[in-house]
Amino acid sequence: MKTASGNTSIMDMFEEGKVVKMCAPMVRYSKLAFRSLVRKYSCDVCFTPMIIAADFLRSVKARDSEFTTNKSDRPLIVQFAAQDPQTLADAACVVAPFSDGVDLNCGCPQRWAMSAGYGACLINKPELVEDMVRHVRNQVDNPDYTVSIKIRIHKDLRQTVDLCQKAESAGVSWITVHGRTTEERHQPVHYDAIKTIKDSVSVPVIANGDIKYLRDVESTHQHTGVNGVMAARGLLANPAMFAGYEDTPLQCIWDWVDIAVEQGTPFSCFHHHLIYMLERVSSQPERKVFNSLSSTSAVIDYLQNTYGSIHDPDTQICPF
């Protein structure tokens, strides 16, 4: 099955039995330019940053600033924060012609989100989540358009299984499980919990949390039996991770420069991504100099002088 954009549909990827590799929704970071970069390096599916559905519907300015895409930016999932079914369904109908699915954020643990009725507080409202999934399913005309949820786990895993089974009954396409509770941040991921959820539903399950190298993709798949994995910080540090690179290759650095310049990426975003990419492959004095740079031209000059271009015959001596 091909999507309207001519790409293989996400559900077909699951049916083919491949471990689908996804770029997580990341506020400020998983925007079009970064999505364009990771797609060059074996990322199968990308998510937008989380968008507050009510603001998106209310403001043209919010729509223009929060949702930017192009024809090659597929398959694309738009992630929304929402607290009522009709708002989510209305937002889904707006983005459906330009994307392959919507995802409901049920995992953001930040206090502001939970106090507003968004994010991880929804894992304690399974009937509401069920209703929101059903509304999108009923109101988006395209039967191939996906509706998914991204969740965290409960301390009592029976509650998480109940949530997932309710979402499945409402027609959820797949479920992404961040294998930590709402209170946990950097504690080890509960892979056994992800496996329990995978074994409790028939829809595809995606594992999220601590995917830092390609080998983590396979080990997580082996441990849990999931249909795919989602990475966030691992891709920020190395956008070529899914292609098997241990650290960010020089080609990827220059690809980012080209994409960011072509798309007019604001300097702060352009620079922050490079700070992440260079962290593991540069010394502390080098990072101190690089982090202090304040213009795109200064960054390009620094990269050229420090590492050389990808076409430079001397680039074999660079640490990438």
Side-chain angles (χ1 to χ4, degrees), residues 149 151 157-170 172-177 193-206 224-227:
I149 60 174
I151 67 170
L157 204 57
R158 290 172 297 183
Q159 292 178 266
T160 319
V161 169
D162 176 64
L163 167 69
C164 294
Q165 290 175 341
K166 281 185 166 64
E168 180 176 23
S169 71
V172 81
S173 303
W174 77 81
I175 298 166
T176 302
V177 182
I194 297 175
K195 184 180 190 307
T196 297
I197 294 163
K198 169 61 184 167
D199 292 342
S200 302
V201 294
S202 58
V203 295
V205 171
I206 309 301
T224 63
V226 291
N227 307 87

Side-chain angles (χ1 to χ4, degrees), residues 14 20-24 43 45 47 174 206 229-231 235 242:
F14 292 133
V20 179
K21 299 183 285 294
M22 298 188 175
C23 175
C43 184
V45 179
F47 279 57
W174 77 81
I206 309 301
V229 298
M230 176 182 286
L235 282 175
F242 284 147

Side-chain angles (χ1 to χ4, degrees), residues 34 37-38 41 212-214 231-249 252 273 276-278 280:
F34 188 69
L37 179 66
V38 296
Y41 292 93
K212 297 176 180 174
Y213 299 95
L214 185 61
R233 286 176 298 174
L235 282 175
L236 285 179
N238 177 11
M241 174 186 71
F242 284 147
Y245 292 93
E246 287 286 298
D247 295 305
T248 310
C252 184
H273 273 293
Y276 278 115
M277 292 180 211
L278 292 170
R280 293 206 304 239

Side-chain angles (χ1 to χ4, degrees), residues 175-187:
I175 298 166
T176 302
V177 182
H178 185 141
R180 294 183 175 97
T181 67
T182 303
E183 293 77 27
E184 292 175 326
R185 293 296 182 271
H186 303 295
Q187 291 89 335

Side-chain angles (χ1 to χ4, degrees), residues 1 8 22 26 28 31 35 68 83 91 115 125 133 144 156 159 177-178 233 236 243 269 274 308:
M1 173 74 67
T8 301
M22 298 188 175
M26 293 178 279
R28 294 186 302 277
K31 294 196 169 187
R35 299 194 301 265
T68 306
Q83 56 185 198
S115 64
K125 301 176 181 179
V133 169
D144 296 320
D156 180 353
Q159 292 178 266
V177 182
H178 185 141
R233 286 176 298 174
L236 285 179
C269 178
L274 286 168

Side-chain angles (χ1 to χ4, degrees), residues 19 24 68 79-81 114 128 136 140 144 151 176 181 186 190 206 214 220 257-258 266 277-278 283 290 300-301:
V19 182
T68 306
Q79 191 189 65
F80 284 113
M114 294 179 66
L128 177 58
V136 175
V140 174
D144 296 320
I151 67 170
T176 302
T181 67
H186 303 295
H190 300 282
I206 309 301
L214 185 61
T220 300
V257 172
D258 291 343
M277 292 180 211
L278 292 170
S283 66
F290 184 81
I300 292 172
D301 287 346

